[in-house]
Amino acid sequence: TFSLGAKASNLTNRGIVTKFPYSIVRHPAYISKVLTWWITLLPVMNWKFALGMGFWTVIYYLRALTEERHLKQDPAYVLYCQKVKWKFIPRIY
């Protein structure tokens, strides 16, 4: 969130952020938010929480894909994607 600053928005391209952690993965805000939720729920995890978290994990994954589809209309973002290959987890995905 601090890395994005005033450029944080919903599907509005306000420029490409390339400083850490966006220099490593393209969606660090989404992955850190989802991981925080999962880690917070681990001590009280049951099948209902797991199902709910699975739902929200898919929602945020689809949100990231939608965001990328919109941003790929910007040539600067396409270049950024070529430099930062990983969407969520370095060297994995």
Side-chain angles (χ1 to χ4, degrees):
T1 302
F2 290 115
S3 294
L4 288 175
K7 293 184 179 185
S9 77
N10 289 326
L11 299 177
T12 303
N13 186 353
R14 296 183 182 171
I16 308 302
V17 176
T18 58
K19 61 184 175 181
F20 183 83
Y22 290 86
S23 60
I24 298 171
V25 293
R26 296 195 302 255
H27 300 287
Y30 292 150
I31 192 65
S32 59
K33 183 181 287 191
V34 169
L35 281 176
T36 299
W37 290 340
W38 276 101
I39 290 168
T40 301
L41 287 175
L42 276 177
V44 294
M45 187 61 71
N46 62 36
W47 71 271
K48 291 179 187 177
F49 285 151
L51 190 61
M53 276 309 306
F55 171 79
W56 286 110
T57 300
V58 169
I59 293 295
Y60 271 80
Y61 175 76
L62 295 174
R63 184 175 178 177
L65 294 181
T66 301
E67 182 179 290
E68 284 217 347
R69 190 176 67 236
H70 288 278
L71 288 171
K72 282 189 175 178
Q73 296 172 11
D74 181 351
Y77 190 77
V78 173
L79 288 174
Y80 167 72
C81 289
Q82 291 171 356
K83 292 178 186 173
V84 180
K85 304 247 184 253
W86 311 108
K87 290 182 184 180
F88 301 104
I89 303 169
R91 302 186 190 279
I92 296 174
Y93 181 66

